[in-house]
Amino acid sequence: MPVPAKDRAGEARHREILETAARLICKAGYEGTSVQEIALACGLTKAGLYHHIPSKERLLYEIMSYGMDLFEEQVLSRVQDIADPLERLKSCMARNVELVTLGASKEVTIILHETDTLTGHSRATINARKKRYVRFLETAFREAMKRGQIREVNPTVAAFGFLGMVLWTYKWFKPSGKLSARQVAEGMVDLLFTGLAAGG
Amino acid sequence: MPVPAKDRAGEARHREILETAARLICKAGYEGTSVQEIALACGLTKAGLYHHIPSKERLLYEIMSYGMDLFEEQVLSRVQDIADPLERLKSCMARNVELVTLGASKEVTIILHETDTLTGHSRATINARKKRYVRFLETAFREAMKRGQIREVNPTVAAFGFLGMVLWTYKWFKPSGKLSARQVAEGMVDLLFTGLAAGG
């Protein structure tokens, strides 16, 4: 059944509010951004904004969920079925660097900064989605070790080393800088998976 | 000349204020923490706090400067004279992971989160100190390549890969977790410098 035009318009408006709020929260932090400011930037009254979003915390939760959706659509779902664990990890790293550098830097910033802002069920839901990614990486590292594709290392250290290299790019990467997103993605994969050892 | 007891007491009090403010700002963010709250937590009135610190932004600058001092004392100054560039890098990584995991996590969090909060001269000063670290790493990577100790890689990607692995630990490391700070430090050094390639 086709989605009625009215629903599509409502959804687009909802997305637009999340985008605007994400921009403000990314800049000043959750605590530093008032509902009043978000409403104003959306061209709404405070009451009008509350018509779309029940609470400020819910808004934050929806922004983080949207960031996790993007990650799952553009990274995880595209690599999780790669049978070769080493290829799965390499492709995952390259795609995730590209998502952070090109796509979703404000959602990523918020997910990374506001970890402890959410409470209760919302917090548990976002944390579970993050943890799933860590487990996915640990499993892939274990499989690659089992196949003899990589050395024996601690899979948790490897997973967080991987994540650190990838996620840190949101801090330093500039689209106008000397390195392209592609160069960073390929460079990081090469750095971790080929390693630094000379004449290897 | 010995420092008069009164000055030492004043300095200790100043340090105490920075520590308290750092704890609050680390939790709620700079914008989310009021001068009133900081004063209250220090057992001072707002006017009393302003007697010690001229402005809220100055307070943030001093917390960040203290974090950078700790880093320079405990990491950079202890490794910068190591003649062998590969040993310099390895020792630097291990010491920096230990600083982040054990020592200065709230100052580190603030330095990393509030990058864009400072303005003017304060901001330029902190950014210059951060940049110095990136240049130090790039130089060491270049020297290690020149000596044939490591493969040819892009020194900027290597420097930010190194930093990502190190600094990300403040996000996930728990002193009560399965891995000790030492294990993480050694694991990260092994991961980056030995690499993942099998049978290397």
Side-chain angles (χ1 to χ4, degrees):
Chain A
M1 230 166 32
V3 180
K6 196 182 150 224
D7 287 8
R8 280 203 309 274
E11 201 156 305
R13 184 65 180 129
H14 194 84
R15 248 310 342 124
E16 209 177 21
I17 291 169
L18 293 188
E19 283 284 340
T20 304
R23 192 163 37 74
L24 297 177
I25 293 173
C26 182
K27 213 172 156 201
Y30 178 79
E31 293 293 345
T33 309
S34 69
V35 172
Q36 183 63 58
E37 287 165 320
I38 295 168
L40 194 71
C42 295
L44 291 168
T45 61
K46 214 165 143 178
L49 180 67
Y50 279 128
H51 174 74
H52 290 274
I53 309 272
S55 70
K56 189 182 171 196
E57 185 172 332
R58 176 74 199 184
L59 188 62
L60 180 63
Y61 172 70
E62 290 199 15
I63 293 168
M64 290 188 172
S65 298
Y66 175 68
M68 294 302 303
D69 288 349
L70 279 179
F71 161 70
E72 288 172 9
E73 270 165 43
Q74 293 183 27
V75 182
L76 208 53
S77 73
R78 303 204 187 181
V79 304
Q80 64 190 0
D81 295 330
I82 300 174
D84 181 317
L86 185 58
E87 286 314 309
R88 195 187 315 144
L89 284 164
K90 287 181 177 178
S91 177
C92 183
M93 184 178 236
R95 281 178 187 273
N96 202 355
V97 169
E98 291 190 20
L99 178 69
V100 174
T101 49
L102 297 178
S105 58
K106 62 182 183 315
E107 287 81 5
V108 170
T109 303
I110 293 172
I111 290 175
L112 302 178
H113 279 197
E114 305 289 351
T115 321
D116 300 332
T117 310
L118 291 178
T119 56
H121 182 67
S122 304
R123 180 174 181 157
T125 305
I126 298 293
N127 282 348
R129 293 177 79 173
K130 288 185 187 170
K131 239 173 225 161
R132 211 176 304 147
Y133 189 25
V134 177
R135 299 293 163 261
F136 165 82
L137 293 174
E138 287 174 333
T139 302
F141 279 114
R142 269 195 208 96
E143 282 181 43
M145 283 179 234
K146 221 176 193 170
R147 291 196 185 199
Q149 294 179 306
I150 61 170
R151 270 195 317 133
E152 290 286 328
V153 292
N154 182 303
T156 304
V157 172
F160 284 112
F162 176 113
L163 282 173
M165 293 171 82
V166 167
L167 298 175
W168 199 247
T169 51
Y170 90 97
K171 279 286 183 194
W172 63 271
F173 180 77
K174 300 243 174 341
S176 57
K178 275 186 200 163
L179 294 164
S180 70
R182 172 57 61 96
Q183 281 175 310
V184 175
E186 289 175 355
M188 289 296 174
V189 170
D190 179 58
L191 197 61
L192 184 62
F193 292 97
T194 311
L196 283 171
Chain B
M1 229 169 28
V3 180
K6 195 180 153 225
D7 287 7
R8 279 204 308 272
E11 201 156 305
R13 183 68 181 127
H14 194 83
R15 255 293 357 116
E16 209 176 19
I17 291 169
L18 293 188
E19 284 283 340
T20 304
R23 193 163 35 75
L24 296 177
I25 293 173
C26 182
K27 215 174 153 200
Y30 177 78
E31 293 292 346
T33 309
S34 70
V35 172
Q36 183 62 57
E37 286 166 322
I38 295 168
L40 194 71
C42 296
L44 291 167
T45 61
K46 214 165 143 178
L49 180 67
Y50 280 128
H51 175 74
H52 291 273
I53 309 273
S55 70
K56 189 181 169 194
E57 183 170 335
R58 177 72 199 181
L59 188 63
L60 180 63
Y61 172 70
E62 289 200 13
I63 293 168
M64 289 188 174
S65 298
Y66 175 67
M68 294 300 303
D69 288 349
L70 279 180
F71 162 70
E72 287 171 10
E73 270 164 44
Q74 293 183 25
V75 182
L76 209 52
S77 73
R78 305 204 184 179
V79 304
Q80 64 190 0
D81 296 330
I82 299 174
D84 182 317
L86 185 58
E87 286 313 311
R88 196 186 314 142
L89 285 164
K90 287 181 177 180
S91 177
C92 183
M93 184 178 237
R95 281 179 186 275
N96 201 354
V97 170
E98 291 190 22
L99 178 70
V100 174
T101 49
L102 297 177
S105 58
K106 60 183 184 313
E107 286 81 6
V108 169
T109 303
I110 293 170
I111 291 174
L112 301 178
H113 279 195
E114 306 289 351
T115 321
D116 300 331
T117 310
L118 291 177
T119 57
H121 182 67
S122 303
R123 180 176 182 155
T125 306
I126 298 292
N127 281 348
R129 293 177 79 175
K130 288 186 190 172
K131 240 174 221 158
R132 212 176 303 144
Y133 189 25
V134 177
R135 300 291 163 261
F136 165 82
L137 293 174
E138 288 174 332
T139 303
F141 278 114
R142 269 196 207 91
E143 282 181 45
M145 283 180 236
K146 222 178 195 168
R147 291 194 184 199
Q149 293 179 306
I150 61 170
R151 270 193 318 134
E152 290 287 328
V153 291
N154 182 304
T156 304
V157 172
F160 283 112
F162 176 114
L163 282 173
M165 292 172 83
V166 167
L167 298 175
W168 199 248
T169 52
Y170 90 98
K171 278 285 184 194
W172 62 270
F173 180 77
K174 302 248 174 335
S176 58
K178 276 186 199 164
L179 294 163
S180 70
R182 172 57 60 96
Q183 282 176 309
V184 175
E186 289 176 353
M188 290 295 175
V189 170
D190 179 56
L191 196 63
L192 184 62
F193 292 96
T194 310
L196 282 172

